[in-house]
Amino acid sequence: MSQSSAGRESAELCAWIAFWGQLVVLAVLAALGAAFASEDSAPGDYACGLLLSLAAIALAFMRLKTRFDGAAADWGSFLLVDDMANLLAVIVAFTILGLGGLFIAAGFDHGGLHDAGVALFAASGLAVFLSMKHVFDALDRAH
């Protein structure tokens, strides 16, 4: 067996482990969401747990579809936009979601809905900034 063949096989093995590893993480998140949904401790824990579980399952199926369609395997091209027109839509949508998260968090002193509102605000800000970086990096590569 030649050196290049062994290197290619190890790279394919690492890519295979990375793909199935992300599905295992999503399965753990789905189980964690179901565990939170089954408890009855604070207001909103059921809804937040159920949404986490459903979102993890949907994301796992979307990743499987992307893999079987032969599209790019990286998370950046899967989740982020590539041009300015779509960036404007992302900024507007996630700004509205982030503000909604703040209003949800302000309505509850503690519990799952308060934490979910804060997390929605943080995730929305992160999505906007990562999308901006992705678009401007793509523009730099084009020039």
Side-chain angles (χ1 to χ4, degrees), residues 8-107:
R8 185 174 54 242
E9 287 177 3
S10 67
E12 289 175 2
L13 180 64
C14 289
W16 184 85
I17 290 172
F19 173 74
W20 289 105
Q22 69 185 346
L23 291 181
V24 167
V25 169
L26 289 171
V28 168
L29 287 174
L32 183 66
F36 279 116
S38 66
E39 295 177 3
D40 191 28
S41 59
D45 282 350
Y46 175 77
C48 293
L50 190 61
L51 285 175
L52 173 62
S53 184
L54 292 175
I57 291 168
L59 191 57
F61 278 113
M62 289 171 60
R63 291 299 289 170
L64 276 172
K65 182 189 179 309
T66 302
R67 171 75 177 231
F68 291 144
D69 286 345
D74 64 326
W75 279 94
S77 63
F78 179 69
L79 293 175
L80 305 173
V81 296
D82 292 326
D83 58 358
M84 287 295 230
N86 290 330
L87 178 63
L88 179 63
V90 163
I91 290 172
V92 169
F94 280 108
T95 300
I96 292 169
L97 281 174
L99 288 174
L102 282 179
F103 287 127
I104 289 171

